Amino acid sequence: MRKNVVGKPECIMSGSFCCLRWCCGTGFNSGHERLKELPSVTLDTSHMGNDVVIVKNGRRICGSGGALATAPIVQNKAYFEAKLQQRGVWGLGLATQNTDLDHLPMGRSAESWVLRSDGKVYSNDEEQAKLADVPQEGDVIGISYDHVEMNFYVNGKNQHCPVTRLKGTFFPTFYVDDGAVMDVAFKEFFFPVPPGYDAIMIEQSLL
């Protein structure tokens, strides 16, 4: 059963980096009793590298290292995005909870399948695919996954370089280094969702 997801204001930081200059949102009390809110999918501060900084209610990653999302992809077809707010070394894709989030670049083991900033997708430290358009600062990268293949989009354009042979329970993953900053989107996307796909839904057993 599909559930509506409502964000919960929060601000979480770790370490001391330049991206701390960004302000965090604050909540408010309208004086009315609020209904119980369902959690949103965000970046997971319990599964991130030691030098990662997560701000903007769990939607921005900076510092140095990787982070997983708070929920795995369990539905048949899921989609998520990230906007490159500042250039540097970066990557995004899918990973298991066993992946090393401090060892960059990700994609060195079979536990992660990531697009790196050179426009190539890696797993087990081997090139799996290459995008037609190498993403630049300001671009939005979309990822769709249907448990058969993972596809990449740059500013809404399908790159037609499907990655297959993924097996296991995967979480969206992102990493940054050398000044890179990424904003992630698990709903309210920048570009239309590919037909048949939807935002990541949190499994009932995880609530």
Side-chain angles (χ1 to χ4, degrees), residues 19-195:
C19 65
L20 292 177
R21 70 182 183 274
W22 298 98
C23 295
C24 295
T26 56
F28 63 91
N29 187 346
S30 64
H32 298 282
E33 182 178 354
R34 302 181 67 181
L35 296 175
K36 182 178 179 180
E37 295 179 345
L38 295 174
S40 296
V41 179
T42 62
L43 295 169
D44 191 350
T45 56
S46 65
H47 289 93
M48 69 179 191
N50 292 326
D51 294 324
V52 168
V53 181
I54 293 177
V55 292
K56 288 191 68 176
N57 298 329
R59 291 181 290 110
R60 171 168 288 175
I61 180 172
C62 44
S64 179
L68 301 180
T70 52
I73 296 177
V74 294
Q75 71 211 70
N76 290 336
K77 295 184 175 183
Y79 176 81
F80 60 95
E81 291 178 339
K83 183 173 184 178
L84 304 178
Q85 295 287 12
Q86 189 166 297
R87 64 186 177 186
V89 174
W90 54 266
L92 72 162
L94 298 173
T96 72
Q97 285 189 323
N98 295 323
T99 194
D100 186 345
L101 298 170
D102 287 304
H103 192 193
L104 301 182
M106 293 180 67
R108 291 179 179 268
S109 74
E111 302 294 336
S112 60
W113 299 71
V114 299
L115 168 67
R116 295 178 183 171
S117 45
D118 62 0
K120 299 176 182 179
V121 182
Y122 292 86
S123 179
N124 223 13
D125 222 16
E126 297 178 352
E127 182 180 328
Q128 306 293 326
K130 182 179 180 180
L131 272 61
D133 304 312
V134 179
Q136 304 296 323
E137 183 176 306
D139 286 344
V140 174
I141 303 167
I143 294 181
S144 64
Y145 180 58
D146 63 1
H147 300 273
V148 175
E149 61 184 38
M150 174 171 56
N151 281 279
F152 295 87
Y153 306 77
V154 178
N155 298 327
K157 178 183 176 183
N158 192 336
Q159 296 296 290
H160 299 291
C161 57
V163 176
T164 59
R165 297 184 294 111
L166 289 79
K167 294 182 179 180
T169 300
F170 288 100
F171 293 72
T173 189
F174 312 83
Y175 75 81
V176 292
D177 197 14
D178 197 27
V181 177
M182 279 197 295
D183 283 355
V184 304
F186 297 108
K187 61 179 181 178
E188 299 175 358
F189 300 113
F190 294 96
F191 290 91
V193 176

